Amino acid sequence: MQALTLHEHLIGRQGSRQSLNTPALVLDIEALDRNIAAMAAFAAAHGLKLRPHAKTHKSVDIARRQIEAGALGVCCAKLGEAEALAEGGIEGILITSPVVGEPAVERLIVLADKNPSLMHSCDHPDAVAAIGAAAKAAGVKLTLLVDLDPGLHRTGVADTETCVALARQIDAHPALSFGGVQFYCGAEQHIEAYADRREAIVAKTAKLTEAIEALKAAGLPPGIITGGGTGSHAIDAELGVFTELQVGSYIFMDRQYGDCALREDGPNPFETSLMVDARVISANHPMLVTIDAGLKAFATEAGPPPILAGAPEGSAYRFMGDEQGAIVPPKGVAPPRLGERITLGAPHCDPTVNLYEAYHVVRNDTLEAIWPVTARGRSA
């Protein structure tokens, strides 16, 4: 791992963050731990379990901290993520996206054989049949959840009738166990105004409640009702339908969630812990300087990164190509000097993390550890 080659000698050296080669993915360990503790306390106070979404961090080290704080496991968006975290000893994994195709199903069954606590969400009878046949042939018992579409049309069964039919199919199979229902309102998570987001989540949750009642009437009460996210966690707790929350970005707090009012009253309860440190590499123009973090340093679909430190207040970041970005100070204000460190936030944390091989874990300005992004690139 290049990060160790470049920076292992800096671990424990006071002020060593300043000596990092840039761009570097930086994680404030104290803010991270406060975020983990705050969500754990919130869930406990509301009688909810946590199964945080590891697609956010893709890290065995962070998953361990979440589980040590009380989480019952983690979610993984992809089979490859689940394999990587399971290899690191993480248990209680729920794969939230469909696993389809013979090669992938074979891997799923191998993983389930090694990890009896593994669960998977499904949304199609053919997928259930294929997984069930493979599990039976291997002598494996696997718990499946029915994924219910909240209206995004990305994954999930479309209606209550299909939800019940799929649950019956799972329950009837000798190698499968019906675990419950998954329901994730992804499109609503980033509605900025709390009242507007609450209104949208309340409307969507009516579909979930209808499905739960239908499953109970069919003799298939869902033991697990999982979903929700950082943007809706307080609303989900108020509505009291979920048994567990799939919160993810609360540990890092990217700009998208920073722009949202996460609670009805008071400040947001979580802090920015994830950053990218960059450096001024060209300073030949009075109106801007160039830094070494461009399109390859951030996920770009959510706009430019916010400037957290190192530049005059009111400065703006602009993408300047694959490798570079510009820092533009307010009119009449001198820009940062050559070699100065600029700290930026992630516009969208999940895909930004996937661009880096390691977290540079800092306490104050001292490098404390280097953690691999364990499941980086494991998209299959």
Side-chain angles (χ1 to χ4, degrees):
M1 187 166 60
Q2 187 187 37
L4 284 173
T5 302
L6 293 175
H7 301 136
E8 189 172 25
H9 69 286
L10 298 175
I11 294 175
R13 184 182 299 178
Q14 188 172 3
S16 51
R17 178 177 178 178
Q18 179 61 39
S19 299
L20 293 175
N21 291 269
T22 55
L25 190 68
V26 175
L27 183 58
D28 182 328
I29 187 64
E30 293 176 305
L32 172 74
D33 284 344
R34 285 192 293 266
N35 288 345
I36 290 173
M39 185 62 85
F42 175 86
H46 291 84
L48 286 164
K49 298 176 182 179
L50 288 180
R51 200 182 302 270
H53 220 308
K55 72 184 180 70
T56 300
H57 55 71
K58 305 170 185 65
S59 163
V60 165
D61 295 280
I62 295 175
R64 285 177 182 152
R65 294 178 101 84
Q66 291 174 312
I67 292 170
E68 288 169 0
L72 48 79
V74 297
C75 294
C76 289
K78 291 297 190 74
L79 177 58
E81 287 180 355
E83 290 170 330
L85 267 64
E87 287 166 8
I90 302 303
E91 299 181 352
I93 295 173
L94 167 62
I95 301 174
T96 59
S97 298
V99 173
V100 175
E102 185 176 349
V105 170
E106 288 178 359
R107 288 165 54 204
L108 176 67
I109 299 307
V110 169
L111 186 61
D113 189 34
K114 296 177 181 178
N115 299 269
S117 62
L118 181 75
M119 299 187 295
H120 172 47
S121 65
C122 287
D123 69 356
H124 198 282
D126 291 351
V128 170
I131 292 170
K136 183 178 179 181
V140 171
K141 188 81 172 181
L142 178 60
T143 297
L144 298 184
L145 279 66
V146 175
D147 185 15
L148 179 63
D149 178 15
L152 186 59
H153 308 320
R154 183 172 62 185
T155 65
V157 298
D159 52 51
T160 293
E161 182 180 354
T162 310
C163 178
V164 172
L166 201 63
R168 282 181 172 141
Q169 180 186 357
I170 295 168
D171 185 64
H173 199 288
L176 302 176
S177 176
F178 172 61
V181 181
Q182 174 178 277
F183 188 77
Y184 176 59
C185 297
E188 288 72 31
Q189 295 298 316
H190 295 109
I191 298 174
E192 292 186 9
Y194 185 90
D196 293 342
R197 191 165 63 258
R198 183 185 183 280
E199 181 180 4
I201 292 294
V202 168
K204 296 289 186 180
T205 303
K207 182 176 183 178
L208 173 60
T209 302
E210 177 185 301
I212 293 168
E213 292 306 313
L215 287 165
K216 290 178 180 177
L220 294 166
I224 296 172
I225 305 166
T226 183
T230 297
S232 65
H233 75 279
I235 302 161
D236 295 325
E238 174 200 342
L239 297 178
V241 178
F242 288 114
T243 63
E244 62 180 50
L245 297 179
Q246 296 183 2
V247 288
S249 298
Y250 75 97
I251 58 168
F252 292 153
M253 288 303 291
D254 56 24
R255 200 209 65 241
Q256 286 185 310
Y257 278 116
D259 289 343
C260 295
L262 296 184
R263 301 281 173 87
E264 187 172 16
D265 299 305
N268 281 346
F270 309 112
E271 309 168 47
T272 298
S273 67
L274 183 77
M275 296 153 278
V276 172
D277 276 0
R279 199 171 301 280
V280 177
I281 58 170
S282 182
N284 293 325
H285 300 281
M287 300 302 294
L288 63 83
V289 293
T290 301
I291 64 173
D292 55 0
L295 294 167
K296 292 180 181 177
F298 306 96
T300 60
E301 94 291 350
I307 300 172
L308 302 180
E313 185 175 354
S315 296
Y317 173 94
R318 296 178 185 170
F319 289 109
M320 292 276 280
D322 289 350
E323 317 296 346
Q324 289 90 30
I327 302 296
V328 183
K331 187 175 181 180
V333 177
R337 293 173 298 177
L338 187 71
E340 289 195 355
R341 184 181 75 196
I342 309 295
T343 298
L344 304 110
H348 183 186
C349 55
D350 302 23
T352 295
V353 166
N354 199 50
L355 298 170
Y356 293 86
E357 67 168 3
Y359 295 98
H360 294 83
V361 182
V362 300
R363 190 180 299 273
N364 297 319
D365 261 357
T366 297
L367 181 66
E368 187 168 284
I370 297 173
W371 294 345
V373 181
T374 318
R376 179 195 184 195
R378 300 290 287 269
S379 60

